[in-house]
Amino acid sequence: MKVWLLLALLLVLQALEDVAGQHPPKNKRPKEPGENRIKPANKKVKPKIPKTKDRDSADDPAPKNQSIMVQMTEKGRFQKPAATLSLAAGQTLELRCKGSKIGWSYPAYLDTFKDSRLSVKQHERYGQLTLVNSTAADTGEFSCWGQLCTGYVCTKDETRTGSTYIFFTEKGELFVPSPSYFDVVYLNPDRQAVVPCRVTVPSAKVTLHREFPAKEIPANGTDIVYDMKRGFVYLQPHSDHQGVVYCKAEAGGKSQISVKYQLLYAEVPSGPPSTTILASSNRVNSGDDLSVLCTVLGEPDVEVEFRWIYPGQKDERPVTIQDTWRLIHRGLGHTTRISQSVLTVEDLETIDAGYYICTAQNPQGQTTVAAAVAFS
């Protein structure tokens, strides 16, 4: 009996030791039910709230001036063009601008000669500009803009624009070719003057030179600066700048001389035309011939338009009107443009008596003068 009791006691002690071995150590926290278990796949997760900085940036409006221009690459892909591009002459240029009504601007050279290589089309959702067989002469600014139209009146949308300046590099052409071998640049104290030595290679080093006495003219950044998109800019022209100049470009171990430019100083200030009128005679007889001369002294590079009102106009009296202009030099290189319009009436009749009125107009305004003609 005692033996059985002893065996039972040993079995109880053994069971107690097994249970004690499963208890966690005293210095560790017992795990909570379900801890470290994989979350069910269908359990909803609360979305992460971005930080204040992230939320603010997400709510920021789009840039006010967003470029709408893209360029088609040779691989048929579209990309936003950089502010300046360099393309080899001969390449086809294709630009597109998003919008149902797009306006375009491109180098005046292409407009002046109505070049058939240029095509501008408007599609339903974008405008398209294509230039084939490009040359160094096509170098310049290409830009587009959306148009806001009310009926037939359209205005430029300043928030939807795009532009890029493109250098078309061509072998043997460091300068953008000029249509002439000699050009005139007028120096006016009221505005900047530009010697248009533009290059086809952005990295070209360009210098300005006077022909006589032969010397380099420094572009010091104060009086004269160089802008590769415009040329040498005279910030404050004066009479000392006049003379014959040319530019020299160096790139890739090669150099080239530009065409020559005659700098002429204009002494007439900007403004509406300074106009005078003079009749060949203010007292006439029947059967006489009459000439009335309208003259404008102005800036050398400012064109003037003339309009006439004369007594026999309502009766469709035949007259002859001839417009001419020429440059005159007033010493020390000062230059003035004389624009003239002559109205001639032959074999005068009584209906030709009255006021002959001439209106001269330039970009700054217009001036009207009159001459009275009466029969003796």
Side-chain angles (χ1 to χ4, degrees):
M1 188 67 178
K2 292 181 178 179
V3 173
W4 285 105
L5 289 173
L6 182 60
L7 289 173
L9 182 60
L10 290 173
L11 289 172
V12 172
L13 291 172
Q14 182 66 41
L16 290 172
E17 289 177 1
D18 293 340
V19 173
Q22 295 177 0
H23 290 173
K26 291 182 180 181
N27 61 343
K28 290 188 177 181
R29 170 184 69 82
K31 293 183 179 180
E32 296 293 333
E35 188 173 87
N36 289 342
R37 292 180 183 175
I38 298 175
K39 294 180 181 180
N42 61 350
K43 185 175 181 179
K44 294 183 179 180
V45 180
K46 187 176 180 180
K48 181 181 178 182
I49 299 176
K51 296 180 181 179
T52 303
K53 183 177 180 181
D54 296 336
R55 290 205 307 269
D56 292 343
S57 61
D59 294 337
D60 284 343
K64 291 184 178 180
N65 294 321
Q66 186 174 2
S67 176
I68 60 174
M69 178 183 285
V70 293
Q71 175 203 3
M72 176 176 277
T73 65
E74 288 184 317
K75 296 181 180 179
R77 298 177 181 177
F78 289 100
Q79 64 181 18
K80 286 191 177 295
T84 58
L85 293 176
S86 187
L87 302 177
Q91 280 188 247
T92 295
L93 171 69
E94 181 178 338
L95 300 173
R96 294 187 182 184
C97 291
K98 185 177 179 181
S100 58
K101 287 187 179 295
I102 297 297
W104 291 92
S105 176
Y106 38 83
Y109 169 85
L110 294 170
D111 241 353
T112 302
F113 298 96
K114 304 297 181 185
D115 207 314
S116 60
R117 298 176 300 121
L118 178 71
S119 170
V120 176
K121 297 179 180 179
Q122 179 63 59
H123 299 274
E124 184 178 357
R125 296 185 178 180
Y126 63 90
Q128 179 185 35
L129 181 149
T130 306
L131 176 64
V132 299
N133 300 323
S134 57
T135 69
D138 302 324
T139 296
E141 188 90 24
F142 291 79
S143 60
C144 66
W145 56 89
Q147 297 190 84
L148 301 173
C149 298
T150 303
Y152 294 101
V153 180
C154 296
T155 58
K156 183 177 181 179
D157 185 352
E158 298 291 350
T159 65
R160 296 174 57 248
T161 62
S163 67
T164 181
Y165 189 94
I166 303 178
F167 297 89
F168 288 100
T169 59
E170 187 173 349
K171 185 177 180 180
E173 294 286 359
L174 292 182
F175 286 108
V176 177
S178 173
S180 62
Y181 294 99
F182 193 87
D183 205 352
V184 177
V185 176
Y186 297 104
L187 305 174
N188 190 297
D190 296 337
R191 63 173 182 263
Q192 296 179 354
V194 179
V195 177
C197 295
R198 296 185 298 127
V199 290
T200 62
V201 180
S203 59
K205 178 185 176 183
V206 189
T207 51
L208 180 64
H209 300 260
R210 182 182 295 278
E211 185 177 50
F212 183 81
K215 67 174 183 177
E216 180 179 339
I217 303 173
N220 52 26
T222 303
D223 196 24
I224 303 174
V225 298
Y226 182 71
D227 182 344
M228 63 181 179
K229 296 180 181 180
R230 300 174 65 194
F232 285 97
V233 182
Y234 286 73
L235 301 178
Q236 296 179 327
H238 50 77
S239 58
D240 292 342
H241 289 142
Q242 60 194 343
V244 177
V245 301
Y246 63 90
C247 302
K248 181 179 179 181
E250 298 178 348
K254 297 181 180 180
S255 63
Q256 185 177 353
I257 301 297
S258 73
V259 300
K260 295 179 180 181
Y261 299 91
Q262 173 74 58
L263 307 188
L264 296 177
Y265 186 76
E267 62 178 343
V268 179
S270 300
S274 173
T275 311
T276 59
I277 192 168
L278 178 66
S280 56
S281 177
N282 296 105
R283 305 289 296 180
V284 294
N285 296 308
S286 180
D288 289 347
D289 293 340
L290 173 71
S291 293
V292 185
L293 175 64
C294 192
T295 303
V296 170
L297 297 179
E299 301 172 71
D301 55 342
V302 176
E303 295 184 359
V304 177
E305 294 183 357
F306 294 96
R307 299 191 303 274
W308 284 94
I309 298 176
Y310 51 93
Q313 196 165 15
K314 291 181 180 179
D315 298 320
E316 298 184 356
R317 179 75 162 95
V319 298
T320 302
I321 299 175
Q322 184 177 12
D323 296 343
T324 60
W325 68 270
R326 70 182 189 275
L327 296 179
I328 59 171
H329 304 285
R330 300 188 169 218
L332 298 177
H334 291 210
T335 305
T336 301
R337 176 181 179 133
I338 294 184
S339 301
Q340 293 181 318
S341 182
V342 182
L343 181 148
T344 303
V345 186
E346 297 180 347
D347 195 15
L348 291 175
E349 302 175 8
T350 55
I351 62 171
D352 298 319
Y355 286 97
Y356 288 76
I357 302 171
C358 170
T359 298
Q361 182 171 358
N362 68 13
Q364 284 77 41
Q366 66 180 30
T367 305
T368 299
V369 291
V373 175
F375 275 82
S376 300

